[in-house]
Amino acid sequence: MNPRALGVIFDMDGVLVDTVGRNWQAHNEVLAKYGVQIHNDEIADFVGRALPDQLEMINQRYGLKLEVPEFEATIAKIQDRLQAHVKPKPGVVRLIEELQRLKVPIAVGTSSPREVALKRLNTAGLIHYFDTIVSRGEVVHHKPNPEVYLFAAKELSRDPRHCVVIEDAPSGILAAHNAGAKCVALTVSYVDPKRMEAADLVVKTLEE
């Protein structure tokens, strides 16, 4: 396929920037007050999903009644401290610059709020690379629903079937396939590699 027909859509947390561990550290600092901790082998159940969906799962699993606005405001302060010096993951800048050389438009499709996405991408020095950024606030339905990737493809003026999504979470892989896109999965420590096998290609690092 002609590269000029392609579009590439990146998930943010865990793909562009190594923030997932810090995000869950923030979650656990708050949840500790309720006697709850999300262990590493549980993170895969939540990662890639929007916070309201994560919190609904946490409430159901642990019998809590946490409200999204209060919880989000509390963890945001902790995340700002933990993410103050976030950097691009290995291979990210080189891949992005190669896609730009080939004139392939690129987007971010993230379940994070827009202000969080902009802050993290700006801190990492990546924000200027992207043609569009689609966040939680621009969609109604969240991953594994395909809306975020369908929206991003539309913003790039690309058929989603001609897009490649780069993800690190099972819910994101499903969202990409539900959109009709191909998916490259980046293996990460918090997800069992077997749960990534649904992707069209699995890599250990974007340097590959």
Side-chain angles (χ1 to χ4, degrees):
M1 183 182 291
N2 186 334
R4 294 179 184 273
L6 294 173
V8 175
I9 308 169
F10 292 82
D11 176 47
M12 182 181 70
D13 292 298
V15 172
L16 293 171
V17 287
D18 190 10
T19 53
V20 173
R22 296 183 182 95
N23 285 345
W24 284 95
Q25 183 179 339
H27 278 64
N28 280 330
E29 283 192 30
V30 178
L31 291 172
K33 301 174 185 177
Y34 305 93
V36 171
Q37 291 288 275
I38 307 296
H39 300 291
N40 287 346
D41 59 356
E42 299 176 274
I43 290 177
D45 295 335
F46 301 94
V47 72
R49 299 178 184 271
L51 182 63
D53 298 330
Q54 292 175 345
L55 205 57
E56 181 179 355
M57 293 169 66
I58 290 170
N59 283 337
Q60 290 179 352
R61 184 173 295 189
Y62 298 104
L64 301 178
K65 296 182 179 180
L66 300 173
E67 298 289 341
V68 173
E70 181 181 356
F71 187 86
E72 188 164 38
T74 303
I75 65 167
K77 296 176 182 177
I78 301 171
Q79 287 173 335
D80 282 348
R81 168 170 51 84
L82 297 175
Q83 312 283 8
H85 304 291
V86 67
K87 296 180 180 179
K89 291 189 72 172
V92 166
V93 173
R94 181 178 177 184
L95 174 57
I96 287 173
E97 290 181 345
E98 178 66 8
L99 291 170
Q100 287 194 323
R101 186 185 68 80
L102 293 170
K103 301 188 184 304
V104 175
I106 59 175
V108 173
T110 178
S111 296
S112 290
R114 187 166 190 84
E115 61 272 20
V116 172
L118 296 178
K119 182 181 294 184
R120 290 183 187 167
L121 293 170
N122 186 58
T123 299
L126 296 173
I127 195 167
H128 64 284
Y129 285 113
F130 294 98
D131 297 289
T132 190
I133 297 167
V134 181
S135 67
R136 188 176 95 197
E138 282 77 67
V139 298
V140 176
H141 306 290
H142 307 127
K143 304 174 189 178
N145 187 285
E147 186 177 359
V148 65
Y149 289 134
L150 293 172
F151 193 111
K154 183 177 179 181
E155 290 286 290
L156 294 178
S157 299
R158 290 293 186 266
D159 186 325
R161 294 172 298 177
H162 296 166
C163 289
V164 175
V165 170
I166 304 180
E167 264 286 353
D168 71 322
S171 62
I173 295 170
L174 184 56
H177 285 161
N178 286 340
K182 298 294 185 183
C183 186
V184 174
L186 180 64
T187 59
V188 286
S189 61
Y190 43 84
V191 179
D192 184 335
K194 292 182 179 179
R195 298 186 67 177
M196 311 295 266
E197 292 176 353
D200 299 282
L201 176 67
V202 179
V203 297
K204 294 181 179 179
T205 168
L206 293 185
E207 292 174 312
E208 293 183 33

